[in-house]
Each structure stands twice: as C-alpha cells, then as structure tokens.
Amino acid sequence: MKDINVQTPPTAPRNKATPPQQSACHLLFDYKPSSDGIDLNLLILLHGLGDTKTPFSALGPKLNLAQTATIAVQAPQPVPYMEDSYQWFPSFDFLTGNLLPPSNPERMKGMLRTRKWMAELLQHMVSVCGFAPSNIFFFGFSQGGSVALDTVLFGDIPNLGGVVSISGYLLEEQEKEKKVGTGYGGYILVTQGEKDGLVGSKASAEKKFKAIQRFCSPSAETSQIFITNKDHTMAHSEGEWRVIHTFFSKYLARRNIQLENMSDVYLVNP
C-alpha cells in the first residue's frame, strides 16, 4: 500500500495583479482591474482600422467577465489626414486613398513592428503584472482581430490563452510564414457576417479561416460562426454576443475562492 502524504495547502494566490506601467511600453493602453477584485485572467481588446482604444476601454467592463482584468490597446500609427484615427499597420495609399494590396511590403513591415510592441506589452503583463500566458485572451475587431491572431500564432510569447476575432483574419502575406513549432494549441473563435462585403463570400471567409487553422496544432480548438444579416461591423446582435460569452465562459480560468478559504481543506498526495 502506498504511503499517503497529507499537507496543508499552499497559500492562496494573490487577488490583485500589479497594474501595468505605460512608461514600460510603446503601445498606449487603458487598463482596468476585474470588477470582482480577482485579476486571474487578462482580456486584451484591440480596435479596428480607423478607431481608437476609447470605445473598447468602455466595452471591457461591460463584458462583465468573472475574475478578468481588461486592457484596451491603441494601434500605434495614425491614419493619414484623419483625426483620432489609428491603424495597426499601413493600410492606405497616400496618393489614391485606396487600401494597400497584399503585394505592398509596407503592410507586413508595419505588422512586424506591431508584433514586436505587442510582445513588449505581453512580457510586461507576464513578468511585472503577474498574469500567466495561458490566462491571457484577446478580443479584436477586423484589423484588431488580425493583430490578435498574429500575436498568438507568430509572437514571442507562447501558450497564450485564446482569441475572439470579429471579422478579422490573417493578412494574405502571412500565409507564407513558417509554423511555430507544432503550432498554436489554444482556443480561437472567429465570428463572421454573412453579408460582409469586405471579407467577401462565405467561401472566401472559410478559406481565410482554414489559413488560420494551418498554424494551429491538432489540440487547438477553433471555430468559425457566421452571423445572418450582418456586414463588416462589430458584434451587436444578441445571438453573436451569446456565442462570444459562451466562448469566454468555457475557456477562461476560474478560481474557487470559497474552497480556498476553507480552513479544513488539505492537499493529499499519494
């Protein structure tokens, strides 16, 4: 018969994360601790092309995710000739005003710069603020969703928790990148409007989603949900938000505070 080793459980982890310091990061952000006082998870919110962090800073607390702090990050580059408008990578031709094609190298140069600064922010959130990489999730719209996917699939911080991308996919140029190790093994949800004229047809969206899956490991859990009567817009219907909240409720970590506070609980090891 094996011996039984009974131990007093280790001290419960701290509830509050150390707030991030803006001076340590290139990217501007608004950080808000969890409303329930337990900063176990971190949700990083990334806006779309031409927006700012302000609407997403307000969105974070409204999501009301248990034990989850939020940080809304602003894209680093102003959109030329537009006030209070930012982009994660160069998107427009200065002369014509048209969107840059995938053949333009400035798009990928900008994405790589953003990837570097996202890694800087994440390293700060992990090493200084105390968040575990597996408890860090992303919520991004359009171009912000592309950055979120880039960060988890190709970034320097491995084993990040997951991504919710609203109508955001990898850049076409990124399909040529090399798979990192065995691939990303976390959780990805992409919601897509059936009438999204920017992404294109349903077949086009499904092809873009398969490009994401090629950089994931067999253990990754990925899903693409099409929303009826929706164009290229942020989530706004009850049905889409239900899908998003179901994703977070399933994959965000949760501490059992009631169990931690019980004085007669012991750790039993064979």
Side-chain angles (χ1 to χ4, degrees):
M1 180 177 178
K2 292 184 177 179
D3 294 332
I4 300 296
N5 180 20
V6 180
Q7 301 175 340
T8 301
T11 303
R14 62 181 181 174
N15 291 341
K16 288 287 187 180
T18 302
Q21 299 299 311
Q22 181 62 76
S23 59
C25 307
H26 283 84
L27 296 172
L28 298 178
F29 59 78
D30 290 335
Y31 173 81
K32 296 181 180 179
S34 172
S35 60
D36 58 22
I38 302 172
D39 302 328
L40 177 60
N41 306 295
L42 176 68
L43 180 64
I44 300 178
L45 300 111
L46 307 176
H47 64 79
L49 172 62
D51 204 351
T52 70
K53 58 182 171 58
T54 302
F56 277 57
S57 179
L59 172 64
K62 290 180 180 178
L63 293 174
N64 197 30
L65 300 176
Q67 303 183 9
T68 303
T70 61
I71 182 168
V73 185
Q74 186 157 291
Q77 185 175 357
V79 176
Y81 312 119
M82 294 183 66
E83 188 177 352
D84 292 331
S85 179
Y86 294 86
Q87 55 190 351
W88 294 99
F89 49 84
S91 306
F92 297 102
D93 186 309
F94 287 156
L95 297 178
T96 66
N98 296 328
L99 288 172
L100 294 177
S103 59
N104 192 303
E106 293 304 312
R107 296 207 323 165
M108 200 60 209
K109 286 181 182 179
M111 178 64 89
L112 291 174
R113 180 174 58 248
T114 293
R115 184 188 299 175
K116 177 182 177 181
W117 288 347
M118 282 298 301
E120 175 188 68
L121 174 64
L122 285 168
Q123 188 59 55
H124 183 66
M125 301 307 297
V126 171
S127 61
V128 176
C129 302
F131 290 98
S134 60
N135 291 346
I136 297 178
F137 284 70
F138 293 81
F139 178 96
F141 168 59
S142 192
Q143 202 178 85
S146 298
V147 171
L149 291 167
D150 176 87
T151 302
V152 302
L153 297 179
F154 309 117
D156 294 336
I157 309 298
N159 304 318
L160 293 166
V163 171
V164 172
S165 177
I166 311 299
S167 302
Y169 298 89
L170 295 174
L171 300 183
E172 292 179 38
E173 308 91 293
Q174 292 180 286
E175 297 179 14
K176 300 177 183 178
E177 293 208 28
K178 293 182 179 180
K179 191 174 182 178
V180 180
T182 58
Y184 175 65
Y187 312 109
I188 294 176
L189 167 67
V190 178
T191 65
Q192 169 68 48
E194 287 187 343
K195 296 182 178 181
D196 192 328
L198 186 61
V199 173
S201 65
K202 184 176 181 180
S204 177
E206 290 173 338
K207 182 179 179 181
K208 290 177 179 292
F209 184 66
K210 288 180 180 178
I212 295 170
Q213 292 179 307
R214 285 200 292 270
F215 294 99
C216 295
S217 73
S219 63
E221 296 188 30
T222 63
S223 59
Q224 182 184 37
I225 304 296
F226 286 89
I227 309 299
T228 57
N229 297 319
K230 184 192 174 188
D231 203 334
H232 193 79
T233 59
M234 249 293 286
H236 60 270
S237 70
E238 181 181 347
E240 186 170 8
W241 280 116
R242 187 183 302 116
V243 169
I244 293 167
H245 274 282
T246 299
F247 174 90
F248 285 130
S249 65
K250 182 177 181 180
Y251 297 121
L252 286 174
R254 184 77 64 89
R255 281 171 51 194
N256 190 326
I257 303 302
Q258 183 177 4
L259 184 63
E260 290 178 8
N261 291 334
M262 293 176 65
S263 60
D264 56 348
V265 174
Y266 293 90
L267 182 66
V268 180
N269 294 320

mmCIF file of all heavy atoms in Angstrom, residues 125-145:
data_model
loop_
_atom_site.group_PDB
_atom_site.id
_atom_site.type_symbol
_atom_site.label_atom_id
_atom_site.label_comp_id
_atom_site.label_asym_id
_atom_site.label_seq_id
_atom_site.Cartn_x
_atom_site.Cartn_y
_atom_site.Cartn_z
ATOM 1 N N MET A 125 3.136 42.382 -18.956
ATOM 2 C CA MET A 125 1.963 41.870 -18.250
ATOM 3 C C MET A 125 2.253 40.549 -17.541
ATOM 4 O O MET A 125 1.667 40.249 -16.498
ATOM 5 C CB MET A 125 0.802 41.672 -19.228
ATOM 6 C CG MET A 125 0.348 42.926 -19.971
ATOM 7 S SD MET A 125 -0.044 44.348 -18.935
ATOM 8 C CE MET A 125 -1.427 43.748 -17.983
ATOM 9 N N VAL A 126 3.176 39.767 -18.103
ATOM 10 C CA VAL A 126 3.524 38.477 -17.504
ATOM 11 C C VAL A 126 4.548 38.646 -16.379
ATOM 12 O O VAL A 126 4.332 38.194 -15.248
ATOM 13 C CB VAL A 126 4.070 37.514 -18.580
ATOM 14 C CG1 VAL A 126 4.638 36.244 -17.938
ATOM 15 C CG2 VAL A 126 2.972 37.157 -19.581
ATOM 16 N N SER A 127 5.667 39.293 -16.686
ATOM 17 C CA SER A 127 6.781 39.336 -15.735
ATOM 18 C C SER A 127 6.589 40.352 -14.623
ATOM 19 O O SER A 127 7.056 40.142 -13.498
ATOM 20 C CB SER A 127 8.093 39.624 -16.481
ATOM 21 O OG SER A 127 8.026 40.881 -17.139
ATOM 22 N N VAL A 128 5.911 41.458 -14.897
ATOM 23 C CA VAL A 128 5.734 42.507 -13.894
ATOM 24 C C VAL A 128 4.354 42.438 -13.238
ATOM 25 O O VAL A 128 4.227 42.505 -12.019
ATOM 26 C CB VAL A 128 5.951 43.907 -14.514
ATOM 27 C CG1 VAL A 128 5.666 45.011 -13.502
ATOM 28 C CG2 VAL A 128 7.380 44.032 -15.045
ATOM 29 N N CYS A 129 3.323 42.273 -14.052
ATOM 30 C CA CYS A 129 1.953 42.303 -13.515
ATOM 31 C C CYS A 129 1.510 40.956 -12.948
ATOM 32 O O CYS A 129 0.601 40.905 -12.120
ATOM 33 C CB CYS A 129 0.989 42.762 -14.595
ATOM 34 S SG CYS A 129 1.400 44.390 -15.278
ATOM 35 N N GLY A 130 2.118 39.864 -13.413
ATOM 36 C CA GLY A 130 1.855 38.563 -12.816
ATOM 37 C C GLY A 130 0.809 37.706 -13.488
ATOM 38 O O GLY A 130 0.358 36.705 -12.911
ATOM 39 N N PHE A 131 0.416 38.032 -14.722
ATOM 40 C CA PHE A 131 -0.554 37.191 -15.430
ATOM 41 C C PHE A 131 0.146 36.000 -16.087
ATOM 42 O O PHE A 131 1.203 36.155 -16.698
ATOM 43 C CB PHE A 131 -1.282 38.006 -16.502
ATOM 44 C CG PHE A 131 -2.221 39.039 -15.965
ATOM 45 C CD1 PHE A 131 -1.827 40.364 -15.870
ATOM 46 C CD2 PHE A 131 -3.484 38.676 -15.532
ATOM 47 C CE1 PHE A 131 -2.691 41.330 -15.361
ATOM 48 C CE2 PHE A 131 -4.358 39.634 -15.024
ATOM 49 C CZ PHE A 131 -3.958 40.956 -14.930
ATOM 50 N N ALA A 132 -0.451 34.832 -15.985
ATOM 51 C CA ALA A 132 0.067 33.650 -16.673
ATOM 52 C C ALA A 132 -0.303 33.742 -18.157
ATOM 53 O O ALA A 132 -1.430 34.129 -18.486
ATOM 54 C CB ALA A 132 -0.511 32.378 -16.074
ATOM 55 N N PRO A 133 0.625 33.413 -19.074
ATOM 56 C CA PRO A 133 0.297 33.486 -20.508
ATOM 57 C C PRO A 133 -0.970 32.741 -20.881
ATOM 58 O O PRO A 133 -1.754 33.217 -21.709
ATOM 59 C CB PRO A 133 1.535 32.867 -21.165
ATOM 60 C CG PRO A 133 2.652 33.166 -20.221
ATOM 61 C CD PRO A 133 2.033 33.043 -18.843
ATOM 62 N N SER A 134 -1.202 31.580 -20.274
ATOM 63 C CA SER A 134 -2.387 30.786 -20.623
ATOM 64 C C SER A 134 -3.690 31.449 -20.184
ATOM 65 O O SER A 134 -4.774 31.048 -20.626
ATOM 66 C CB SER A 134 -2.289 29.393 -19.998
ATOM 67 O OG SER A 134 -2.208 29.479 -18.585
ATOM 68 N N ASN A 135 -3.590 32.467 -19.328
ATOM 69 C CA ASN A 135 -4.781 33.183 -18.864
ATOM 70 C C ASN A 135 -4.965 34.529 -19.572
ATOM 71 O O ASN A 135 -5.779 35.335 -19.153
ATOM 72 C CB ASN A 135 -4.712 33.417 -17.354
ATOM 73 C CG ASN A 135 -4.845 32.135 -16.555
ATOM 74 O OD1 ASN A 135 -5.244 31.105 -17.096
ATOM 75 N ND2 ASN A 135 -4.488 32.183 -15.287
ATOM 76 N N ILE A 136 -4.188 34.752 -20.637
ATOM 77 C CA ILE A 136 -4.294 35.989 -21.403
ATOM 78 C C ILE A 136 -5.066 35.707 -22.690
ATOM 79 O O ILE A 136 -4.666 34.875 -23.506
ATOM 80 C CB ILE A 136 -2.906 36.566 -21.721
ATOM 81 C CG1 ILE A 136 -2.179 36.937 -20.418
ATOM 82 C CG2 ILE A 136 -3.028 37.797 -22.619
ATOM 83 C CD1 ILE A 136 -0.770 37.465 -20.630
ATOM 84 N N PHE A 137 -6.172 36.423 -22.868
ATOM 85 C CA PHE A 137 -7.037 36.254 -24.041
ATOM 86 C C PHE A 137 -7.138 37.570 -24.804
ATOM 87 O O PHE A 137 -6.849 38.644 -24.272
ATOM 88 C CB PHE A 137 -8.432 35.789 -23.612
ATOM 89 C CG PHE A 137 -8.503 34.336 -23.241
ATOM 90 C CD1 PHE A 137 -7.900 33.869 -22.073
ATOM 91 C CD2 PHE A 137 -9.162 33.423 -24.043
ATOM 92 C CE1 PHE A 137 -7.953 32.527 -21.723
ATOM 93 C CE2 PHE A 137 -9.227 32.078 -23.708
ATOM 94 C CZ PHE A 137 -8.619 31.632 -22.548
ATOM 95 N N PHE A 138 -7.569 37.466 -26.070
ATOM 96 C CA PHE A 138 -7.694 38.637 -26.933
ATOM 97 C C PHE A 138 -9.119 38.741 -27.480
ATOM 98 O O PHE A 138 -9.776 37.734 -27.739
ATOM 99 C CB PHE A 138 -6.728 38.536 -28.119
ATOM 100 C CG PHE A 138 -5.277 38.615 -27.737
ATOM 101 C CD1 PHE A 138 -4.613 37.500 -27.262
ATOM 102 C CD2 PHE A 138 -4.574 39.803 -27.863
ATOM 103 C CE1 PHE A 138 -3.277 37.560 -26.911
ATOM 104 C CE2 PHE A 138 -3.235 39.882 -27.518
ATOM 105 C CZ PHE A 138 -2.588 38.758 -27.042
ATOM 106 N N PHE A 139 -9.545 39.987 -27.669
ATOM 107 C CA PHE A 139 -10.799 40.279 -28.354
ATOM 108 C C PHE A 139 -10.487 41.390 -29.352
ATOM 109 O O PHE A 139 -10.108 42.500 -28.956
ATOM 110 C CB PHE A 139 -11.865 40.737 -27.358
ATOM 111 C CG PHE A 139 -13.176 41.109 -27.988
ATOM 112 C CD1 PHE A 139 -14.214 40.200 -28.059
ATOM 113 C CD2 PHE A 139 -13.376 42.377 -28.523
ATOM 114 C CE1 PHE A 139 -15.433 40.536 -28.636
ATOM 115 C CE2 PHE A 139 -14.585 42.724 -29.098
ATOM 116 C CZ PHE A 139 -15.618 41.806 -29.168
ATOM 117 N N GLY A 140 -10.615 41.095 -30.653
ATOM 118 C CA GLY A 140 -10.269 42.089 -31.653
ATOM 119 C C GLY A 140 -11.291 42.161 -32.759
ATOM 120 O O GLY A 140 -11.907 41.153 -33.125
ATOM 121 N N PHE A 141 -11.474 43.377 -33.280
ATOM 122 C CA PHE A 141 -12.377 43.576 -34.401
ATOM 123 C C PHE A 141 -11.578 43.895 -35.663
ATOM 124 O O PHE A 141 -10.713 44.768 -35.664
ATOM 125 C CB PHE A 141 -13.359 44.719 -34.120
ATOM 126 C CG PHE A 141 -14.124 45.178 -35.333
ATOM 127 C CD1 PHE A 141 -14.925 44.280 -36.041
ATOM 128 C CD2 PHE A 141 -14.044 46.485 -35.783
ATOM 129 C CE1 PHE A 141 -15.620 44.683 -37.176
ATOM 130 C CE2 PHE A 141 -14.746 46.905 -36.905
ATOM 131 C CZ PHE A 141 -15.538 46.000 -37.610
ATOM 132 N N SER A 142 -11.879 43.173 -36.757
ATOM 133 C CA SER A 142 -11.298 43.434 -38.072
ATOM 134 C C SER A 142 -9.766 43.470 -38.001
ATOM 135 O O SER A 142 -9.139 42.458 -37.714
ATOM 136 C CB SER A 142 -11.880 44.733 -38.642
ATOM 137 O OG SER A 142 -11.569 44.883 -40.003
ATOM 138 N N GLN A 143 -9.155 44.624 -38.244
ATOM 139 C CA GLN A 143 -7.694 44.706 -38.206
ATOM 140 C C GLN A 143 -7.154 44.344 -36.819
ATOM 141 O O GLN A 143 -6.091 43.740 -36.696
ATOM 142 C CB GLN A 143 -7.257 46.124 -38.598
ATOM 143 C CG GLN A 143 -5.818 46.198 -39.100
ATOM 144 C CD GLN A 143 -5.402 47.586 -39.545
ATOM 145 O OE1 GLN A 143 -4.987 48.406 -38.737
ATOM 146 N NE2 GLN A 143 -5.533 47.850 -40.838
ATOM 147 N N GLY A 144 -7.897 44.685 -35.775
ATOM 148 C CA GLY A 144 -7.504 44.289 -34.426
ATOM 149 C C GLY A 144 -7.538 42.781 -34.245
ATOM 150 O O GLY A 144 -6.713 42.201 -33.530
ATOM 151 N N GLY A 145 -8.506 42.120 -34.892
ATOM 152 C CA GLY A 145 -8.548 40.665 -34.859
ATOM 153 C C GLY A 145 -7.355 40.057 -35.566
ATOM 154 O O GLY A 145 -6.810 39.034 -35.135
#
